[in-house]
Short mmCIF file of all heavy atoms in Angstrom, two decimals:
data_model
loop_
_atom_site.label_atom_id
_atom_site.label_comp_id
_atom_site.label_asym_id
_atom_site.label_seq_id
_atom_site.Cartn_x
_atom_site.Cartn_y
_atom_site.Cartn_z
N GLN A 1 122.36 93.81 134.05
CA GLN A 1 121.29 94.26 133.27
C GLN A 1 121.21 93.47 131.92
O GLN A 1 120.10 93.07 131.56
CB GLN A 1 121.61 95.69 132.89
CG GLN A 1 120.50 96.24 131.97
CD GLN A 1 120.74 97.82 131.57
OE1 GLN A 1 121.61 98.34 132.18
NE2 GLN A 1 119.95 98.26 130.67
N GLN A 2 122.34 93.16 131.39
CA GLN A 2 122.45 92.33 130.23
C GLN A 2 121.82 90.89 130.43
O GLN A 2 121.08 90.45 129.61
CB GLN A 2 123.93 92.17 129.61
CG GLN A 2 124.03 91.24 128.48
CD GLN A 2 125.36 91.22 128.10
OE1 GLN A 2 126.04 92.26 127.55
NE2 GLN A 2 126.01 90.01 128.13
N LEU A 3 122.16 90.31 131.48
CA LEU A 3 121.60 89.13 131.92
C LEU A 3 120.08 89.09 132.14
O LEU A 3 119.45 88.19 131.47
CB LEU A 3 122.28 88.61 133.24
CG LEU A 3 121.81 87.32 133.78
CD1 LEU A 3 122.12 86.13 132.80
CD2 LEU A 3 122.48 86.93 135.05
N ARG A 4 119.54 90.14 132.68
CA ARG A 4 118.09 90.22 132.81
C ARG A 4 117.44 90.32 131.39
O ARG A 4 116.43 89.65 131.13
CB ARG A 4 117.74 91.41 133.65
CG ARG A 4 117.94 91.31 135.16
CD ARG A 4 117.38 92.38 135.93
NE ARG A 4 117.92 93.76 135.58
CZ ARG A 4 119.01 94.31 136.08
NH1 ARG A 4 119.66 93.56 137.03
NH2 ARG A 4 119.42 95.42 135.75
N GLU A 5 118.00 91.11 130.49
CA GLU A 5 117.49 91.25 129.20
C GLU A 5 117.54 90.03 128.35
O GLU A 5 116.62 89.51 127.68
CB GLU A 5 118.13 92.36 128.52
CG GLU A 5 117.75 93.82 129.14
CD GLU A 5 118.60 95.05 128.58
OE1 GLU A 5 119.43 94.79 127.70
OE2 GLU A 5 118.31 96.06 129.07
N LEU A 6 118.70 89.25 128.47
CA LEU A 6 118.99 88.04 127.93
C LEU A 6 117.89 87.00 128.30
O LEU A 6 117.38 86.13 127.50
CB LEU A 6 120.44 87.47 128.06
CG LEU A 6 121.37 88.19 127.16
CD1 LEU A 6 122.78 87.79 127.71
CD2 LEU A 6 121.17 87.95 125.68
N THR A 7 117.70 87.00 129.62
CA THR A 7 116.75 86.02 130.27
C THR A 7 115.30 86.24 129.65
O THR A 7 114.68 85.30 129.30
CB THR A 7 116.72 86.11 131.77
OG1 THR A 7 118.06 85.83 132.26
CG2 THR A 7 115.84 85.22 132.41
N ILE A 8 114.89 87.57 129.50
CA ILE A 8 113.63 87.80 128.89
C ILE A 8 113.62 87.35 127.47
O ILE A 8 112.65 86.64 127.11
CB ILE A 8 113.28 89.26 129.01
CG1 ILE A 8 113.10 89.76 130.57
CG2 ILE A 8 112.15 89.74 128.12
CD1 ILE A 8 113.13 91.16 130.64
N LEU A 9 114.62 87.65 126.59
CA LEU A 9 114.60 87.23 125.29
C LEU A 9 114.77 85.68 125.16
O LEU A 9 114.08 85.17 124.32
CB LEU A 9 115.78 87.83 124.58
CG LEU A 9 115.79 89.27 124.25
CD1 LEU A 9 117.16 89.78 123.72
CD2 LEU A 9 114.72 89.66 123.31
N ARG A 10 115.49 85.02 126.02
CA ARG A 10 115.58 83.66 126.11
C ARG A 10 114.21 83.03 126.20
O ARG A 10 113.72 82.03 125.62
CB ARG A 10 116.64 83.17 127.17
CG ARG A 10 116.82 81.60 127.11
CD ARG A 10 117.75 81.34 128.12
NE ARG A 10 117.28 81.78 129.54
CZ ARG A 10 117.99 81.55 130.58
NH1 ARG A 10 119.07 80.97 130.58
NH2 ARG A 10 117.47 81.95 131.75
N GLY A 11 113.42 83.53 127.26
CA GLY A 11 112.05 83.01 127.48
C GLY A 11 111.10 83.20 126.36
O GLY A 11 110.37 82.35 126.09
N ARG A 12 111.24 84.32 125.74
CA ARG A 12 110.37 84.62 124.61
C ARG A 12 110.70 83.54 123.41
O ARG A 12 109.78 83.04 122.68
CB ARG A 12 110.56 85.92 124.01
CG ARG A 12 109.89 87.00 125.00
CD ARG A 12 110.01 88.38 124.56
NE ARG A 12 109.35 89.27 125.55
CZ ARG A 12 109.59 90.59 125.54
NH1 ARG A 12 110.38 91.11 124.64
NH2 ARG A 12 109.02 91.29 126.38
N ALA A 13 112.09 83.32 123.20
CA ALA A 13 112.53 82.44 122.19
C ALA A 13 111.98 81.02 122.45
O ALA A 13 111.45 80.33 121.45
CB ALA A 13 113.99 82.47 121.96
N TRP A 14 112.10 80.60 123.50
CA TRP A 14 111.77 79.20 123.89
C TRP A 14 110.24 79.13 123.84
O TRP A 14 109.63 78.03 123.50
CB TRP A 14 112.16 78.70 125.29
CG TRP A 14 113.54 78.31 125.19
CD1 TRP A 14 114.74 78.88 125.77
CD2 TRP A 14 114.12 77.15 124.50
NE1 TRP A 14 115.86 78.24 125.41
CE2 TRP A 14 115.69 77.10 124.61
CE3 TRP A 14 113.54 76.16 123.65
CZ2 TRP A 14 116.42 76.25 124.06
CZ3 TRP A 14 114.36 75.21 123.14
CH2 TRP A 14 115.73 75.23 123.25
N HIS A 15 109.54 80.20 124.22
CA HIS A 15 107.95 80.22 124.16
C HIS A 15 107.64 80.01 122.68
O HIS A 15 106.74 79.18 122.35
CB HIS A 15 107.53 81.53 124.71
CG HIS A 15 105.89 81.70 124.49
ND1 HIS A 15 105.13 81.08 125.36
CD2 HIS A 15 105.22 82.36 123.54
CE1 HIS A 15 103.88 81.45 124.96
NE2 HIS A 15 103.94 82.19 123.93
N VAL A 16 108.34 80.72 121.71
CA VAL A 16 107.96 80.64 120.41
C VAL A 16 108.35 79.21 119.92
O VAL A 16 107.69 78.64 119.17
CB VAL A 16 108.69 81.64 119.48
CG1 VAL A 16 108.70 81.36 118.00
CG2 VAL A 16 108.19 83.10 119.82
N ALA A 17 109.53 78.71 120.26
CA ALA A 17 109.97 77.38 119.94
C ALA A 17 109.01 76.22 120.19
O ALA A 17 108.77 75.41 119.40
CB ALA A 17 111.34 77.15 120.40
N THR A 18 108.39 76.43 121.25
CA THR A 18 107.52 75.39 121.82
C THR A 18 106.01 75.54 121.17
O THR A 18 105.22 74.63 121.34
CB THR A 18 107.39 75.33 123.31
OG1 THR A 18 106.99 76.67 123.82
CG2 THR A 18 108.64 74.95 123.90
N ARG A 19 105.75 76.69 120.44
CA ARG A 19 104.49 76.87 119.88
C ARG A 19 104.50 77.13 118.42
O ARG A 19 103.72 77.78 117.85
CB ARG A 19 103.80 78.09 120.55
CG ARG A 19 103.42 77.70 122.02
CD ARG A 19 103.14 78.90 122.85
NE ARG A 19 102.74 78.60 124.24
CZ ARG A 19 103.58 78.24 125.14
NH1 ARG A 19 104.85 78.06 124.95
NH2 ARG A 19 103.11 77.87 126.33
N MET A 20 105.47 76.57 117.67
CA MET A 20 105.65 76.66 116.36
C MET A 20 104.52 76.01 115.59
O MET A 20 103.99 74.95 116.06
CB MET A 20 107.02 76.09 115.82
CG MET A 20 108.18 76.87 116.27
SD MET A 20 108.31 78.54 115.63
CE MET A 20 108.41 78.26 113.89
N PRO A 21 104.14 76.49 114.41
CA PRO A 21 103.15 75.86 113.67
C PRO A 21 103.47 74.41 113.19
O PRO A 21 104.61 74.11 113.21
CB PRO A 21 102.85 76.73 112.49
CG PRO A 21 104.08 77.77 112.50
CD PRO A 21 104.70 77.69 113.71
N SER A 22 102.44 73.70 113.04
CA SER A 22 102.74 72.28 112.56
C SER A 22 103.39 72.30 111.29
O SER A 22 103.29 73.15 110.41
CB SER A 22 101.30 71.65 112.37
OG SER A 22 101.45 70.40 111.69
N ALA A 23 104.27 71.35 111.15
CA ALA A 23 105.03 71.21 109.91
C ALA A 23 104.17 70.69 108.72
O ALA A 23 104.52 70.59 107.65
CB ALA A 23 106.12 70.15 110.14
N LEU A 24 102.95 70.40 109.11
CA LEU A 24 101.99 70.01 108.06
C LEU A 24 101.22 71.08 107.47
O LEU A 24 100.52 71.78 108.29
CB LEU A 24 100.97 68.82 108.59
CG LEU A 24 101.62 67.58 109.07
CD1 LEU A 24 100.58 66.79 109.81
CD2 LEU A 24 102.29 66.83 108.01
N PRO A 25 101.30 71.30 106.11
CA PRO A 25 100.54 72.43 105.64
C PRO A 25 99.08 72.13 105.54
O PRO A 25 98.58 71.06 105.81
CB PRO A 25 101.14 72.48 104.14
CG PRO A 25 101.61 71.16 103.81
CD PRO A 25 102.04 70.59 105.18
N PRO A 26 98.26 73.19 105.30
CA PRO A 26 96.92 72.93 105.03
C PRO A 26 96.59 71.77 104.13
O PRO A 26 97.24 71.50 103.10
CB PRO A 26 96.36 74.26 104.59
CG PRO A 26 97.33 75.22 105.12
CD PRO A 26 98.61 74.60 105.06
N GLY A 27 95.62 71.02 104.43
CA GLY A 27 95.22 69.79 103.72
C GLY A 27 95.17 69.90 102.23
O GLY A 27 95.35 69.09 101.36
N GLU A 28 94.52 71.12 101.75
CA GLU A 28 94.25 71.41 100.37
C GLU A 28 95.63 71.67 99.60
O GLU A 28 95.67 71.88 98.34
CB GLU A 28 93.25 72.45 100.20
CG GLU A 28 93.60 73.90 100.58
CD GLU A 28 93.36 74.16 102.08
OE1 GLU A 28 92.89 73.19 102.79
OE2 GLU A 28 93.59 75.27 102.46
N TRP A 29 96.71 72.03 100.22
CA TRP A 29 97.97 72.34 99.55
C TRP A 29 98.50 70.99 99.11
O TRP A 29 98.72 70.05 99.76
CB TRP A 29 98.87 73.06 100.50
CG TRP A 29 98.41 74.36 100.95
CD1 TRP A 29 97.17 74.98 100.90
CD2 TRP A 29 99.29 75.46 101.44
NE1 TRP A 29 97.20 76.19 101.38
CE2 TRP A 29 98.46 76.57 101.69
CE3 TRP A 29 100.61 75.60 101.73
CZ2 TRP A 29 99.01 77.73 102.13
CZ3 TRP A 29 101.09 76.67 102.31
CH2 TRP A 29 100.31 77.82 102.47
N ARG A 30 98.96 71.14 97.73
CA ARG A 30 99.67 70.02 97.15
C ARG A 30 100.83 70.45 96.34
O ARG A 30 101.03 71.70 96.12
CB ARG A 30 98.62 69.43 96.14
CG ARG A 30 97.33 68.92 96.75
CD ARG A 30 97.52 67.50 97.29
NE ARG A 30 96.30 67.03 97.77
CZ ARG A 30 95.96 67.03 99.11
NH1 ARG A 30 96.80 67.31 100.02
NH2 ARG A 30 94.81 66.57 99.60
N GLY A 31 101.60 69.56 96.00
CA GLY A 31 102.79 69.97 95.09
C GLY A 31 103.74 70.80 95.66
O GLY A 31 104.10 70.84 96.86
N PRO A 32 104.30 71.72 94.87
CA PRO A 32 105.33 72.78 95.21
C PRO A 32 104.98 73.64 96.50
O PRO A 32 105.81 73.85 97.35
CB PRO A 32 105.55 73.64 94.10
CG PRO A 32 105.09 72.86 92.95
CD PRO A 32 103.88 71.94 93.37
N ALA A 33 103.65 74.04 96.59
CA ALA A 33 103.27 74.79 97.74
C ALA A 33 103.43 74.01 98.99
O ALA A 33 103.83 74.43 100.11
CB ALA A 33 101.71 75.25 97.62
N HIS A 34 102.90 72.65 98.94
CA HIS A 34 103.05 71.74 100.09
C HIS A 34 104.58 71.64 100.57
O HIS A 34 104.89 71.85 101.62
CB HIS A 34 102.39 70.46 99.70
CG HIS A 34 102.56 69.51 100.80
ND1 HIS A 34 103.71 68.62 100.95
CD2 HIS A 34 101.56 69.01 101.60
CE1 HIS A 34 103.41 67.83 102.01
NE2 HIS A 34 102.19 68.08 102.42
N ASP A 35 105.41 71.38 99.67
CA ASP A 35 106.77 71.16 99.80
C ASP A 35 107.47 72.41 100.33
O ASP A 35 108.33 72.44 101.26
CB ASP A 35 107.57 70.79 98.51
CG ASP A 35 107.08 69.41 98.01
OD1 ASP A 35 106.37 68.74 98.78
OD2 ASP A 35 107.27 69.06 96.80
N ALA A 36 107.02 73.61 99.75
CA ALA A 36 107.68 74.89 100.25
C ALA A 36 107.33 75.17 101.62
O ALA A 36 108.08 75.60 102.41
CB ALA A 36 107.29 76.06 99.20
N TYR A 37 106.03 74.90 101.99
CA TYR A 37 105.52 75.17 103.32
C TYR A 37 106.41 74.27 104.40
O TYR A 37 106.87 74.78 105.39
CB TYR A 37 104.05 74.90 103.41
CG TYR A 37 103.51 75.08 104.79
CD1 TYR A 37 103.02 76.34 105.14
CD2 TYR A 37 103.50 74.07 105.75
CE1 TYR A 37 102.48 76.63 106.45
CE2 TYR A 37 102.93 74.33 107.00
CZ TYR A 37 102.41 75.48 107.31
OH TYR A 37 101.88 75.75 108.65
N THR A 38 106.50 73.11 103.98
CA THR A 38 107.12 72.18 104.89
C THR A 38 108.55 72.67 105.21
O THR A 38 109.06 72.56 106.29
CB THR A 38 107.08 70.73 104.30
OG1 THR A 38 105.73 70.38 104.08
CG2 THR A 38 107.83 69.63 105.21
#
């Protein structure tokens, strides 16, 4: 049962990992906001 649940969680984590937002902040962001986002 634990293995089944871990497999589901693992799939969700990898799904999120492959669909993370871009490391580039919105174009209008500059200075500290840009750096903090990155």
Side-chain angles (χ1 to χ4, degrees):
Q1 179 181 351
Q2 175 178 297
L3 177 59
R4 284 189 300 273
E5 292 169 3
L6 285 168
T7 300
I8 291 167
L9 289 173
R10 182 180 61 181
R12 289 178 182 166
W14 281 113
H15 177 80
V16 169
T18 59
R19 287 162 180 78
M20 290 297 296
S22 170
L24 299 174
E28 66 274 5
W29 289 22
R30 301 279 183 254
H34 179 279
D35 296 342
Y37 180 91
T38 301

